[in-house]
Amino acid sequence: MLRIRNLRKIYGNYHALDGLDMDIHDGALYGFVGPNGAGKTTTLKIISGLLLPDEGSVEVDGIDALREPALLKEKIGYVPDYFGVYDNLKVSEYMEFFASCYGIEGLKARKRSQTLLEQVGLGDKQDFFVDGLSWGMKQRLCLARALLHEPVLLLMDEPSAGLDPRTRLEFRETLRELNSQGMTILLSSHLLADLAELCTDVGIVDAGRMLLEGSVEGITEKIHTSKPVIISVYKNMEAAMALLKEHPLVRAISVKNRDIMVQFAGSERQESGLLAELIQAGVQVRGFVREPGNLEAVFMQLTNHEEERVVLSYEYDRESGL
Ligand code: ATP
């Protein structure tokens, strides 16, 4: 659905985007995460055609977004992180005004507007003045507006900002529903926790570059297998070592007292298999643990500017699959 290569944007002499790559597959619910100033809004504005990059390519649903802005407009729905002022405009008028901008007029505009307002939970607010709506309702209205022309890719900049916990949950449900109907969605946030639970895929950006990208499941699994399994042996250390040295999924072993730390390239199911094999080999196992993979901790490490070595170690890890 979206393919970005080597995107660069320079403001004065400041490199807001510094060779960003991004891949979003059809039907993804993609979380674009990075600290403040990482380049998220700049990227979203370029994807939606509001800003031109200095270098790079953007392909949306098979079209060259930088060369075909008119076609791009049909494909993208953009919900920015601000909301304009709309004095004396009712919700239904607001929707019909934007519908007319997309060439949808009359009864068709009214019907489409009504359906979308109902879908986002504003079906009973059609006669309310826009400026009198709560922030959460304005956010929903903006979403409904962005869907008027039936885009294939929805972009939302910091959609959870300013929402109370309950409204945030309701809003997530609306997004999940839209995604389950086939809409590809890109959400940006500076909080990973906001997105990890909701999204199918994430991209972690910092200083205008993509540091890590992939499915939430795949990344979590990789992080998990990067942690050592710690096996505490009560008796028969020799049998344990003999088995581990020959095991095809064991990459490295170190021993401290009666604890064996094993770099084990297997899944959770294979971990339980290893435990069963040790017991079968006559090893008396007192403890068997692997610290769970934590996406949040990796995000904090990757985006910690003071710790340059963390980024370097990520680049090393990229080779070995993290
Ligand atoms: P936030 O989460 O704070 O919105 P962001 O990840 O969306 O941050 P951007 O808004 O894309 O980041 O900004 C990236 C960098 O570019 C920031 O350092 C910002 O100050 C700078 N920047 C953005 N727009 C401009 C501009 N028009 N002129 C100069 N610098 C800009």
Side-chain angles (χ1 to χ4, degrees):
M1 173 61 67
L2 177 72
R3 186 172 189 274
I4 291 180
R5 289 293 174 272
N6 193 32
L7 206 59
R8 292 180 190 275
K9 180 73 194 173
I10 305 167
Y11 296 113
N13 57 5
Y14 181 75
H15 292 245
L17 294 181
D18 192 19
L20 183 109
D21 294 335
M22 186 188 249
D23 285 283
I24 303 186
H25 62 84
D26 289 4
L29 184 37
Y30 183 102
F32 188 35
V33 204
N36 292 121
K40 303 180 296 293
T41 302
T42 304
T43 307
L44 263 55
K45 281 186 175 164
I46 292 174
I47 301 171
S48 52
L50 296 173
L51 193 67
L52 278 174
D54 293 300
E55 215 181 305
S57 64
V58 180
E59 196 183 295
V60 177
D61 198 25
I63 68 153
D64 182 335
L66 304 178
R67 295 230 168 100
E68 308 203 64
L71 279 179
L72 175 71
K73 219 176 125 193
E74 290 172 18
K75 297 201 176 272
I76 299 276
Y78 179 49
V79 181
D81 59 350
Y82 58 87
F83 193 86
V85 180
Y86 294 93
D87 280 335
N88 298 326
L89 213 54
K90 288 185 177 173
V91 167
S92 55
E93 292 166 343
Y94 171 94
M95 287 293 281
E96 282 160 39
F97 166 72
F98 279 101
S100 72
C101 297
Y102 288 108
I104 311 166
E105 308 272 0
L107 187 63
K108 197 174 167 207
R110 269 199 293 287
K111 277 198 172 155
R112 178 101 190 107
S113 148
Q114 212 168 337
T115 309
L116 287 172
L117 288 172
E118 269 155 26
Q119 194 172 358
V120 302
L122 291 177
D124 56 345
K125 301 284 184 295
Q126 310 215 26
D127 291 326
F128 279 50
F129 282 102
V130 172
D131 282 340
L133 298 178
S134 69
W135 177 248
M137 288 179 194
K138 281 182 179 167
Q139 187 68 275
R140 287 170 174 275
L141 180 58
C142 241
L143 171 61
R145 183 201 78 195
L147 298 173
L148 273 165
H149 59 298
E150 302 182 61
V152 291
L153 175 63
L154 177 69
L155 310 173
M156 303 190 79
D157 202 358
E158 298 271 356
S160 298
L163 298 184
D164 63 57
R166 186 161 166 258
T167 318
R168 188 176 296 202
L169 275 179
E170 287 169 0
F171 198 65
R172 275 172 181 221
E173 271 323 299
T174 308
L175 294 180
R176 268 205 189 102
E177 206 177 297
L178 273 172
N179 181 243
S180 70
Q181 290 163 3
M183 169 84 66
T184 307
I185 303 175
L186 189 173
L187 309 171
S188 84
S189 177
H190 59 281
L191 300 171
L192 179 69
D194 241 20
L195 302 176
E197 201 196 319
L198 172 69
C199 293
T200 56
D201 297 78
V202 287
I204 297 178
V205 61
D206 192 21
R209 305 192 70 164
M210 190 65 85
L211 300 182
L212 179 63
E213 188 183 49
S215 73
V216 172
E217 211 174 286
I219 293 174
T220 310
E221 172 81 25
K222 278 180 190 164
I223 296 166
H224 181 74
T225 53
S226 73
K227 305 266 180 191
V229 176
I230 301 169
I231 305 164
S232 306
V233 175
Y234 179 63
K235 248 188 200 159
N236 211 352
M237 195 70 169
E238 297 70 28
M241 290 300 285
L243 188 148
L244 292 170
K245 278 182 191 162
E246 295 302 316
H247 199 288
L249 293 173
V250 170
R251 300 282 176 265
I253 305 171
S254 62
V255 182
K256 193 175 172 198
N257 302 324
R258 302 203 70 77
D259 287 344
I260 312 175
M261 287 180 50
V262 181
Q263 287 297 338
F264 184 69
S267 63
E268 287 183 349
R269 190 178 55 77
Q270 287 161 325
E271 273 169 41
S272 71
L274 176 64
L275 176 59
E277 283 177 56
L278 285 164
I279 293 168
Q280 250 171 21
V283 181
Q284 290 186 26
V285 180
R286 194 170 51 81
F288 188 100
V289 284
R290 169 133 82 176
E291 210 181 297
N294 184 340
L295 196 53
E296 185 77 27
V298 170
F299 173 66
M300 294 308 284
Q301 278 188 343
L302 287 177
T303 56
N304 183 349
H305 295 269
E306 270 126 48
E307 296 255 15
E308 280 306 318
R309 63 182 177 77
V310 173
V311 176
L312 292 176
S313 82
Y314 164 66
E315 280 175 358
Y316 159 74
D317 285 342
R318 190 172 218 174
E319 294 291 303
S320 62
L322 215 134

